Amino acid sequence: MTDTLHPRNLKGNLLPDQSYFRKGKAIAQTGRSKLQNQRAGLNNQILKAMRMRAGAENLLRATNNSKVREQVLLELSYVNADLQVLKEELERLNISVEVYQHTEQTASIPLIPLGLKETKDVDFTTAFKDFILEHYSEDGADYENELADLMDLRQACRTPSRDEAGIEMLLSYFQQLGFLENRFFPSSRNMGILFTWYDSFTGVPVSQPNISLEKASILFNMAALYTQIGTRSNRQTKTGLEEAVAMFQKAAGVLSYLKETFTHTPSYDMSPAMLGCLIKMLLAEAHECYFEKLILAGVQNEVCTLIKMAQEAAKVSEIYLQVFNAMNQAPIKENIPYSWTVMVQIKSEHYKALAHYFAAITLTDHQLTPRDDEDKQEKALSQLYDHIPEGMTAMNILKDKQQRTLLGKAHLSKAILCHEEALRLSNLCSKLKQINILQDILSAFHKRALLKDSIYKKEDDFLGILVTPDIVSKTEYKAEIIPPPLSRVKVIDFFQRLGPLSVFSAKQRWTAPRKVLLTLEDGELGFILKGDCPVQITALDPLCPAAVSTKMCHNISLHFI
């Protein structure tokens, strides 16, 4: 549910036929909103604990009294313990992935969405009114309605709806921030407005008087919202999977733009290293959804198709392994939720197991017949491996049942080992252990591989042991980072009544308005007027009466009354 807020016209009256932005309810009773409210509460508790720790550390440095130092050290130990508990609770919220999944999601491993960054309230009113009076020589009280609309829009952006309307609202506010930066934030002056945002992963607050922090945080939340939309997509349908792929690609695009545009953000969750890691994770999730789309309608029980699926699954595993390695780099390892790191490791093992299972099925369930295309199958099988086991060739494997069975059993054994490793990892992580759908899916695939393996264990085991060859990863999917549609949403500058932004901006210096009386002589003014209200005087003749009497300079602007 959303409430529609309407813009006002230049006189401050509501325009009933226009909806400027949609405001999400601040206390929505959805699982996602409850999590976000819990996140906000935890951030406040972390802020208080950090202030207590900073005070205790200052006292510790300032005193030499042994008894006082002993008490302070004891207090610090309690505060640090509380902080650790709070951060663990924040991690629990970050891994509450089941809340974001589609309600019918019962056959897919949960995807990881990004949580929205939380912020503190900001009051633009006093600072902007003072600046309007001082810089633009207008009464700031005349802009009460515009300021109210701005404050309402910012407040609404804290709880955007999880759909395209929510994305458009964040885009609208981001565009407004561009206008505000040009109108009210001169580079040579501190406006006295403090923006505070909390790190999405650690809850550590960052405060700056720089509007760039506000813009960067809105972009991060836009990416987070895309991931939540993608996670909510119905992955049991082709349309839902296509939507999920697109949403994760768009989220990666927003974070990529954030990484390239805002290179010095003080919050570590928006640092280049962390953003690079998150982009890898989002593209991996997009690839995972692409793979799910390939197998959605079932896999044709045919050699070349099975080999293709084995290589596609191996590619997903490889990409998640790269994400896992990126998450294990310092200082990312200390900041990203540990359960996320374990989840991507589980997915790497899971999809490696699937790759070996498809390879095993290819070998154990199929035998080359006169009707088959030998050259095509030989080529496909030879491309499955970098190195075929010693003493074997692709054609011999296809024709020799003993070699096929030997290699197939090796792949099955490898699949079982990978499934067992995935289960072991999930059981070691207390937070992942509580996600029932994850446990059920991993167990189901493990049992399927065990059942297949049991069929061949009934045969004589004279075939010996073979080291399982690695599967060459290959995919037809091209990871695409979709840039953010920053120009898609057309917005009206809240403060357009101040005049054209190209003229009336914070970087321009203005004197108080004054009237200039010009007397027309000989039918010539001696200058040219350009533009609409306010007009600009250009091409001023320095010898004309206007120049002499008013000492006007080039490019000054006049309001005609």
Side-chain angles (χ1 to χ4, degrees), residues 38-47 90 118 198-199 203:
Q38 291 178 43
R39 180 189 293 273
L42 280 174
N43 286 334
N44 286 328
Q45 292 179 59
I46 289 173
L47 176 58
L90 187 59
E118 280 291 330
Y198 295 89
D199 188 295

Side-chain angles (χ1 to χ4, degrees), residues 25 28 38 84 116 128 148-149 203 224 234-235 237 299 306 315 337 357 373 377 391 393 434 441 470 528:
K25 285 191 175 181
Q38 291 178 43
Q84 185 61 35
L116 297 176
F128 279 14
D149 283 342
N234 187 353
R235 290 155 64 198
T237 66
V299 178
L306 290 169
K315 189 65 178 181
Y357 182 81
D373 187 334
Q377 291 192 11
T393 65
Q434 297 172 15
I441 290 173
D470 292 330
I528 298 173

Side-chain angles (χ1 to χ4, degrees), residues 250-262:
K250 289 179 180 180
V254 174
L255 292 187
S256 180
Y257 177 81
L258 172 57
K259 180 183 176 184
E260 295 169 2
T261 309
F262 300 90

Side-chain angles (χ1 to χ4, degrees), residues 169-183:
M169 183 175 66
L170 292 176
L171 278 171
S172 297
Y173 183 53
F174 183 79
Q175 302 274 41
Q176 291 292 345
L177 289 174
F179 293 138
L180 295 180
E181 185 174 22
N182 286 320
R183 287 203 189 273

